[in-house]
Amino acid sequence: MSSQFPVVVIPGDGIGPEVTKATLKVLDAAGAPLEYIEKQAGLAALEQGDDVMPQDTVDSVRKHHVALKGPCTTPVGKGFTSVNVQLRKKLHLFAAIRPVRSLEGVPTRFENVDLVIVRENTEGLYSGIENEVAPGIVTSLKVATENGTERIARRAFQYIQNRDRKHLTVFHKANIMKMSDGLFLKSVEKIHGAEFPSLPYDTQIIDAGCMKLVQDPTKYDVLLMENFYGDVVSDLAAGLVGGLGVVPGSNIGHEDAVFEAVHGSAPDIAGKGIANPLALLMSGVMMLNHLNETTGEQSFKDAAENIKAAYNKTLADDQKTGDLGGSLSTDQFADAIIKRLA
């Protein structure tokens, strides 16, 4: 590639700027041909006198189509709407892809976990349609559309086909929510029959599925579910391999893609230099693979494979941050990865 590829970088707030800085340091050291365009969102944007989700930030992602985003604080029970939800809706990022795998050097009660959660990202209970219909009575509207359920089903089957995965399992609660989750299942069946008849899939009621997931996660390959279920199950699955600090996340639409650490902004440790940048770095690797797929540029894939091998080796060598039982600072962990780059 003769020039660098522009990507929008949204550091976020709390520990966001620290883990973002460390991540970009590793990306640069690996030779990823990237040009960073920094934009703000969340509390960082508010502190600059802007809106929590500045239009300039949204427009920049629309222009360049790819963003890497650090964590942003979301108030609980009050205040502004989640920055993540706003960004997904404004950019029509309808598919959240979250790989979850065991890492050498991060011991848990399970081994050989290697699953992917595909979550519908714009509908369901997270549509944000809530009303106080009478004093002390609040309703939340769960939204499911034919278009929304069909496109996420298609994306899940495409993921299996393109990544040489083996099997899709659909989590649902259609025995109770017969219309909304029923539509979800009908859409999966329709897309499977019309476009992917050779790919195997099955369905499971989500409560039973969660029980089986924590009994033996190695029984699952790719899991598909609606928005709220996907949020809960992806965090649950992260707990099987060491927590949110060791899993990446991506939000994909037809035109734009945002890659992000799925953990919180951890304001209690912000500025201390001890945050683990691995989740955002892993998301950066997902971003590089996405760029390789969309541009055909081999250097993105080479950098992604180099970084992945380096952080795997770093963890295997017991070089870790405090949350994983080690003693390295944010920058020291990044430097340890850089030393192991090919």
Side-chain angles (χ1 to χ4, degrees):
M1 179 176 285
S2 59
S3 60
Q4 294 179 311
F5 192 92
V7 298
V8 179
V9 174
I10 305 171
D13 48 66
I15 61 171
E18 298 167 65
V19 297
T20 299
K21 180 181 177 182
T23 294
L24 300 187
K25 184 178 180 181
V26 177
L27 292 176
D28 288 341
L34 300 172
E35 172 192 353
Y36 307 124
I37 300 158
E38 184 171 318
K39 297 294 179 179
Q40 300 299 330
L43 294 179
L46 289 178
E47 290 170 359
Q48 294 183 1
D50 211 331
D51 185 70
V52 67
M53 176 46 66
Q55 188 60 44
D56 177 58
T57 299
V58 176
D59 290 342
S60 185
V61 180
R62 284 182 177 143
K63 177 180 179 180
H64 300 292
H65 303 300
V66 178
L68 183 65
K69 176 187 162 296
C72 293
T73 301
T74 300
V76 177
K78 59 181 180 180
F80 54 82
T81 304
S82 165
V83 169
N84 296 336
V85 172
Q86 291 188 55
L87 198 59
R88 293 163 190 164
K89 287 187 175 182
K90 289 177 182 292
L91 296 172
H92 306 291
L93 306 175
F94 63 88
I97 312 293
R98 295 190 179 181
V100 178
R101 69 180 180 92
S102 299
L103 296 167
E104 186 177 357
V106 184
T108 69
R109 68 185 63 191
F110 299 105
E111 297 179 355
N112 302 317
V113 178
D114 182 11
L115 57 88
V116 179
I117 295 169
V118 180
R119 164 191 172 190
E120 200 291 316
N121 220 14
T122 61
E123 298 187 340
L125 282 173
Y126 285 5
S127 298
I129 304 173
E130 296 188 312
N131 293 286
E132 185 175 15
V133 296
I137 303 175
V138 174
T139 62
S140 293
L141 183 63
K142 180 175 180 176
V143 176
T145 68
E146 188 175 80
N147 176 65
T149 52
E150 286 185 6
R151 69 184 179 183
I152 194 62
R154 181 177 294 109
R155 181 57 59 94
F157 285 120
Q158 287 173 339
Y159 187 91
I160 290 175
Q161 188 175 67
N162 296 339
R163 300 302 178 96
D164 197 28
R165 305 293 297 203
K166 304 303 181 184
H167 187 273
L168 179 68
T169 300
V170 185
F171 278 6
H172 69 91
K173 195 66 177 175
N175 56 324
I176 303 299
M177 284 170 277
K178 300 182 185 298
M179 296 187 71
S180 56
D181 282 21
L183 176 59
F184 199 97
L185 292 183
K186 289 178 183 177
S187 293
V188 173
E189 182 179 7
K190 175 182 176 181
I191 296 301
H192 175 262
E195 302 178 30
F196 305 94
S198 64
L199 298 181
Y201 89 96
D202 68 339
T203 66
Q204 292 185 11
I205 295 175
I206 187 168
D207 44 351
C210 285
M211 179 191 68
K212 294 176 182 178
L213 183 62
V214 299
Q215 286 178 324
D216 185 1
T218 64
K219 298 295 185 182
Y220 292 98
D221 185 24
V222 179
L223 299 174
L224 169 64
M225 60 202 78
E226 65 91 56
N227 203 344
F228 174 67
Y229 305 157
D231 190 14
V232 175
V233 173
S234 59
D235 281 19
L236 180 152
L240 304 176
V241 298
L244 292 176
V246 296
V247 293
S250 64
N251 304 281
I252 310 292
H254 290 306
E255 298 183 357
D256 306 317
V258 176
F259 300 84
E260 63 178 353
V262 297
H263 57 67
S265 58
D268 57 320
I269 62 169
K272 296 182 179 180
I274 60 175
N276 185 357
L278 183 56
L280 188 60
L281 179 59
M282 295 172 83
S283 301
V285 168
M286 291 186 73
M287 179 184 73
L288 294 176
N289 285 322
H290 171 80
L291 289 170
N292 167 251
E293 292 169 0
T294 54
T295 69
E297 175 56 44
Q298 181 65 31
S299 60
F300 289 125
K301 183 176 182 180
D302 293 341
E305 292 179 348
N306 194 6
I307 294 170
K308 183 176 180 179
Y311 67 63
N312 283 339
K313 184 66 165 58
T314 302
L315 294 172
D317 289 343
D318 203 31
Q319 298 295 296
K320 298 176 287 191
T321 48
D323 60 308
L324 298 179
S327 60
L328 298 184
S329 69
T330 306
D331 287 337
Q332 287 171 337
F333 184 63
D335 289 339
I337 294 172
I338 291 171
K339 288 179 181 178
R340 290 164 176 79
L341 291 171

